[in-house]
Amino acid sequence: MNVSYVRGGFIAFAAVASLTVAGCGGGGSDPKAEQPVVTASSTPRTSDSQQSSEAVEDPVTPLAEAKGQDGFELVINSAERDAGGFLTIKGSLKNASDKGRAVPDMRGGETEVLKHGKSLGGATLVDTVGKKRYYVLRDTDGRPLTTTGLGILAAGGVVDVFMQFPAPPATTTEVSFQLPTFEPATLKLS
């Protein structure tokens, strides 16, 4: 008989037996020992219904919506100024039609933007009070700082998009958002 096999079997038996005895909790046990131990790192367990309601995010109220051709819709969810003097607009582009369609050309007519493929490079912000127009920023190679590579969007399909502009002055609280093939939309800035 192999001694290592006997020792291994005995150790396994001892482990199972100790777990069985520990789980019995006979009538003569100490009531304090049955209470759960709570440490500083312990967190209370929440019920499944509490967890699911906490996991659901509040729906985002759009800042602006613009209707485009062939059933395309653009929803702007945020417009955030940063300390560097930029304004980043984020939202979603949706194909609300009942069939897949190519995303319309929204690049505008600038040669530098056109050579980098489909994008939202033609977007502008118009400050009618300050009488200024803000174009999408471009990198040193002329690529627009927007979502690029837009192709075909399935029926009901949605894609997240962004555009970055020079930030209008803090005193400018409203601009007209304009994108080729879409209706203008009023955008409130904070």
Side-chain angles (χ1 to χ4, degrees):
M1 182 182 261
N2 188 341
V3 176
S4 63
Y5 177 76
V6 173
R7 253 190 248 154
F10 178 74
I11 293 171
F13 173 77
V16 171
S18 66
L19 290 173
T20 305
V21 172
C24 288
S29 64
D30 184 3
K32 291 180 185 175
E34 292 179 18
Q35 296 176 354
V37 177
V38 178
T39 63
S41 65
S42 296
T43 56
R45 178 171 165 79
T46 58
S47 70
D48 290 340
S49 63
Q50 287 175 324
Q51 287 176 351
S52 64
S53 67
E54 290 172 359
V56 174
E57 294 181 20
D58 292 332
V60 176
T61 303
L63 298 178
E65 295 180 23
K67 301 274 186 201
Q69 66 185 24
D70 295 329
F72 281 92
E73 299 172 355
L74 177 70
V75 175
I76 297 174
N77 296 319
S78 70
E80 297 178 10
R81 298 176 198 255
D82 66 23
F86 303 110
L87 175 72
T88 302
I89 294 177
K90 294 180 183 177
S92 58
L93 180 65
K94 179 179 183 178
N95 176 2
S97 74
D98 58 354
K99 59 183 171 180
R101 296 186 183 274
V103 173
D105 191 354
M106 301 171 281
R107 297 176 291 177
E110 292 186 38
T111 306
E112 282 298 311
V113 174
L114 289 172
K115 71 180 183 181
H116 293 290
K118 283 197 171 182
S119 71
L120 299 149
T124 59
L125 301 176
V126 178
D127 175 4
T128 55
V129 175
K131 299 183 193 263
K132 287 195 172 193
R133 180 179 296 242
Y134 299 90
Y135 293 91
V136 168
L137 292 169
R138 289 145 183 92
D139 68 11
T140 55
D141 293 327
R143 283 187 289 271
L145 298 181
T146 74
T147 303
T148 59
L150 300 168
I152 295 175
L153 202 54
V158 178
V159 62
D160 291 335
V161 295
F162 82 96
M163 294 152 272
Q164 196 167 42
F165 298 88
T171 55
T172 302
T173 58
E174 185 177 287
V175 292
S176 174
F177 173 83
Q178 299 178 359
L179 183 64
T181 75
F182 282 77
E183 300 170 353
T186 301
L187 181 60
K188 302 267 186 203
L189 303 176
S190 57

